[in-house]
Amino acid sequence: MNESLSLAIRHHTGFTYDGIAKSSYNEARMTPISGASQEVRNAHIAVQPVVPLSTHTDYFGTVVTAFDIQERTRNWRSRRGRTSRVAPG
């Protein structure tokens, strides 16, 4: 019998500028990869201020979420959530 453990993980991050930024270009590499010992059931990212997100996989197989903030801002925040099933051992 193959036992597994289910995990729900939330990660919050952000950035505060010394002054006001006119624009900000960002990439987040925080989505885990499903494999032999882990199945990612769902994953999502939310950014404040709300902006469009694009996702691609880089050369190493890492999921990259990119977002640009094209408004004057002093800071931005992101929230990443995921649920994974992990095999012990």
Side-chain angles (χ1 to χ4, degrees), residues 15-75:
F15 193 85
T16 301
Y17 301 96
D18 288 337
I20 295 176
K22 293 181 182 179
S23 59
S24 177
Y25 303 91
N26 307 276
E27 290 186 346
R29 288 173 168 80
M30 299 181 64
T31 302
I33 298 172
S34 289
S37 62
Q38 174 175 276
E39 172 191 355
V40 179
R41 292 187 173 164
N42 62 56
H44 67 276
I45 187 169
V47 177
Q48 285 291 25
V50 176
V51 293
L53 306 175
S54 65
T55 303
H56 68 276
T57 302
D58 71 10
Y59 176 81
F60 300 102
T62 304
V63 176
V64 179
T65 302
F67 58 97
D68 301 345
I69 301 170
Q70 298 298 319
E71 60 185 67
R72 296 171 61 87
T73 185
R74 288 191 177 276
N75 58 53

